[in-house]
Amino acid sequence: GENVEQHPSTLSVQEGDSAVIKCTYSDSASNYFPWYKQELGKRPQLIIDIRSNVGEKKDQRIAVTLNKTAKHFSLHITETQPEDSAVYFCAATNFGNEKLTFGTGTRLTIIP
Amino acid sequence: DTEVTQTPKHLVMGMTNKKSLKCEQHMGHRAMYWYKQKAKKPPELMFVYSYEKLSINESVPSRFSPECPNSSLLNLHLHALQPEDSALYLCASSQDRRYEQFFGPGTRLTVL
């Protein structure tokens, strides 16, 4: 089955700086890679996703890049703000098998 | 209605009790999911319903019994749970298995 590794497990960034979280996956058949943000006591919230036919996707301050050859994908947050503080989970799936495999999570703290 | 809702928000039960968790969505989604999330861990898939049929059971103990009465509703029946079953139980839905999953707010379950 799929295995997703995520690094780092914790990340502290000065407000206004950029944050990068990296994930690798094992199953070359995986074709969909979402990122979820989970604030304390709240639901995981989909913030951005990318499909395997695309190398990069941006949405305002958030971007995701995908390298299919190396089987890794990354989340980039620019101009970080205190409200970006949360746990971020990457995930991977092959839509044919319905199961979303999550990474272990990154606790991002934005220092004011 | 563009959200997944879950009831109750919190549930405390003894090991001999029978209780049920409820999940509802009115987005016309045809795939629904149950996840279990322990503190500081990613969501862990339990069950997947696709077009009201159980398509994945991740070897979940029989004390957890899912039910999908219709395309908008998903239940999780609980019986004879153990203290280690205490966790956040998350429901999610997607248009079908080829699309992004959206999570409900979860039910915080405590088993005494």
Side-chain angles (χ1 to χ4, degrees):
Chain A
E2 175 65 278
N3 181 50
V4 178
E5 294 188 1
Q6 183 172 347
H7 299 281
S9 57
T10 61
L11 179 61
S12 292
V13 172
Q14 208 71 37
E15 183 178 353
D17 287 350
S18 296
V20 180
I21 303 170
K22 298 182 179 183
C23 289
T24 60
Y25 61 99
S26 60
D27 187 353
S28 56
S30 287
N31 55 17
Y32 175 65
F33 307 92
W35 286 88
Y36 286 88
K37 173 184 179 183
Q38 189 173 27
E39 296 175 62
L40 192 62
K42 301 269 182 79
R43 74 185 79 193
Q45 183 184 4
L46 179 69
I47 56 170
I48 196 166
D49 56 13
I50 192 166
R51 295 178 188 241
S52 60
N53 58 346
V54 175
E56 183 176 1
K57 184 176 177 181
K58 276 186 181 180
D59 183 3
Q60 300 183 329
R61 297 185 297 109
I62 294 174
V64 57
T65 57
L66 171 65
N67 182 327
K68 284 191 296 181
T69 305
K71 290 193 282 204
H72 67 70
F73 57 111
S74 301
L75 178 71
H76 304 254
I77 307 174
T78 58
E79 300 170 15
T80 53
Q81 300 167 4
E83 52 265 37
D84 295 329
S85 293
V87 176
Y88 290 80
F89 292 102
C90 64
T93 188
N94 170 356
F95 272 134
N97 70 17
E98 296 172 315
K99 181 177 176 179
L100 198 55
T101 301
F102 285 87
T104 48
T106 297
R107 180 170 297 280
L108 175 64
T109 302
I110 307 301
I111 305 164
Chain B
D1 191 343
T2 58
E3 275 202 340
V4 179
T5 59
Q6 289 186 244
T7 54
K9 287 185 180 178
H10 301 275
L11 178 62
V12 179
M13 60 186 290
M15 289 190 283
T16 58
N17 291 158
K18 283 186 181 180
K19 296 285 184 183
S20 296
L21 309 184
K22 181 179 170 182
C23 172
E24 206 160 358
Q25 57 85 16
H26 295 287
M27 296 179 279
H29 289 178
R30 302 313 300 269
M32 296 184 78
Y33 311 78
W34 279 116
Y35 288 87
K36 173 183 177 180
Q37 188 178 27
K38 298 283 249 182
K40 299 185 181 181
K41 297 287 187 185
E44 182 184 333
L45 184 67
M46 301 175 71
F47 302 103
V48 180
Y49 274 84
S50 182
Y51 291 85
E52 299 157 54
K53 286 187 166 44
L54 183 64
S55 60
I56 294 180
N57 176 341
E58 288 287 294
S59 303
V60 178
S62 60
R63 57 185 186 268
F64 295 92
S65 175
E67 180 196 18
C68 188
N70 59 57
S71 59
S72 300
L73 195 52
L74 186 66
N75 297 320
L76 186 63
H77 302 297
L78 314 172
H79 173 54
L81 293 194
Q82 305 296 310
E84 58 265 28
D85 296 322
S86 297
L88 180 68
Y89 287 83
L90 292 160
C91 174
S93 72
S94 61
Q95 188 171 337
D96 67 27
R97 64 186 190 184
R98 296 166 297 169
Y99 292 86
E100 56 272 24
Q101 294 183 28
F102 297 96
F103 284 86
T107 293
R108 176 77 56 192
L109 174 67
T110 303
V111 182
L112 300 176

